[in-house]
Amino acid sequence: MDEIIIAAGGLTQTEINNLKKKHGPLTLVTLEGDTPEHYWLKKPSMATVKASTKVAESDPMESAMIYFKNCLVKGDEKVIEDVDRWLSLAPHLENLIETRKATVKNF
């Protein structure tokens, strides 16, 4: 029997490749602890950004939850029900978007 090699985040390389084919580039966030928890997230769509931005001013926490639920491709969605785990994970959601340096010139 062939040995199954876990590549990252509790998944084999084949599983990771399949998720990437389906969802595009992925980000892995791991919460450390007695048993590490892995969350595989895809880049948000414009619809997700729009939906989360719409509620951000009145309810920033709900905005982050919308963002998370729409970007999660593998992991326990119930993390949002545990304040310690959620507040450890939520700050890393900003890493899903690649920002670029921009230059502005007025003429």
Side-chain angles (χ1 to χ4, degrees):
M1 178 185 255
D2 290 333
E3 182 179 340
I4 296 175
I5 299 173
I6 302 301
L11 301 179
T12 65
Q13 190 60 53
T14 300
E15 291 170 317
I16 294 167
N17 291 343
N18 289 339
L19 287 174
K20 287 172 69 176
K21 281 181 190 174
K22 183 174 181 181
H23 301 287
L26 300 172
T27 298
L28 170 62
V29 178
T30 301
L31 296 184
E32 302 297 332
D34 293 336
T35 304
E37 298 176 39
H38 307 291
Y39 300 89
W40 289 90
L41 303 154
K42 65 181 179 178
K43 187 175 182 174
S45 65
M46 284 303 292
T48 296
V49 173
K50 184 178 178 181
S52 66
T53 302
K54 188 173 184 177
V55 298
E57 192 172 311
S58 62
D59 192 343
M61 189 64 72
E62 180 65 23
S63 173
M65 289 176 182
I66 290 168
Y67 198 80
F68 172 75
K69 287 179 182 180
N70 284 281
C71 293
L72 183 67
V73 297
K74 186 85 172 162
D76 183 8
E77 187 177 298
K78 291 185 179 186
V79 68
I80 62 175
E81 297 170 9
D82 181 314
V83 69
D84 295 326
R85 292 165 55 218
W86 174 244
L87 292 178
S88 298
L89 174 67
H92 300 286
L93 296 176
E94 68 184 41
N95 294 322
L96 299 178
I97 297 176
E98 178 185 340
T99 57
R100 299 180 184 178
K101 183 178 178 180
T103 303
V104 176
K105 293 183 181 183
N106 294 318
F107 293 95

